[in-house]
């Protein structure tokens, strides 16, 4: 199932808006713990709210998938690049982060954000 999960995520990241069909109804999205506005967003409404906050905060917001790592049967790491200009300031943002997805029956049930690939891999090792 792991390669199938990789392909499901590849397709999901092609969408500009969150793909609610891809997300399990009980999804939990944990934003990066190193950021001051770190939070957990639950369910389709929560993830939609998170995406709206990002799109409203930036001009020309782009999310580009750079790599997918098949970590284990139910876990896939997505390395994504976030780009845009902060609305109102014009300041450019270009950052890479890791999204660690836990999949359940072909749908994303949990996403945890990490600042780097190394930190994401370390978190997975600690969880085993």
């Amino acid at each position: 199932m792991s390669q199938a999960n990789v392909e499901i995520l590849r397709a999901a990241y092609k969408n500009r808006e969150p793909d609610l069909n891809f997300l399990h109804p009980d999804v939990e999205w944990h934003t990066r713990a190193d950021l001051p506005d770190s939070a957990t967003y639950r369910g389709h409404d929560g993830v939609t709210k998170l995406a709206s906050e990002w799109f409203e905060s930036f001009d020309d917001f782009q999310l580009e998938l750079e790599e997918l790592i098949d970590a284990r049967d139910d876990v896939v790491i997505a390395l994504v690049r976030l780009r845009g200009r902060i609305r109102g300031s014009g300041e450019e943002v270009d950052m890479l982060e890791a999204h660690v997805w836990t999949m359940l029956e072909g749908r994303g049930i949990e996403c945890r954000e990490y600042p780097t690939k190394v930190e994401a891999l370390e978190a997975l090792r600690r969880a085993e």
Side-chain angles (χ1 to χ4, degrees):
M1 184 66 155
S2 58
Q3 187 57 40
N5 286 334
V6 166
E7 294 310 316
I8 289 167
L9 274 166
R10 186 180 318 282
Y13 275 98
K14 286 182 181 178
N15 294 326
R16 180 163 163 78
E17 299 293 325
D19 180 358
L20 297 182
N21 293 318
F22 153 72
L23 297 172
H24 190 281
D26 297 326
V27 64
E28 289 191 356
W29 191 302
H30 307 269
T31 60
R32 290 172 39 183
D34 64 317
L35 298 176
D37 59 348
S38 180
T40 299
Y41 295 82
R42 291 181 174 82
H44 289 176
D45 289 343
V47 173
T48 299
K49 179 179 186 248
L50 172 62
S52 293
E53 289 172 1
W54 271 92
F55 289 117
E56 291 170 7
S57 297
F58 291 89
D59 291 320
D60 303 323
F61 180 72
Q62 299 172 23
L63 186 141
E64 299 168 6
L65 179 63
E66 293 206 347
E67 182 181 1
L68 288 169
I69 301 166
D70 181 5
R72 61 176 189 244
D73 284 344
D74 62 342
V75 177
V76 177
I77 300 172
L79 298 177
V80 296
R81 181 163 302 279
L82 307 165
R83 290 188 174 131
R85 287 187 326 275
I86 298 174
R87 187 162 283 148
S89 78
E91 181 182 339
E92 295 281 335
V93 172
D94 183 348
M95 66 183 197
L96 188 65
E97 68 179 20
H99 296 171
V100 177
W101 282 98
T102 301
M103 305 294 286
L104 177 64
E105 299 171 356
R107 297 175 88 184
I109 186 76
E110 181 180 57
C111 179
R112 291 189 176 270
E113 296 178 1
Y114 295 91
T116 67
K117 176 180 177 178
V118 169
E119 289 176 74
L121 291 168
E122 287 174 0
L124 282 176
R125 278 193 285 277
R126 284 192 306 269
E128 290 180 342

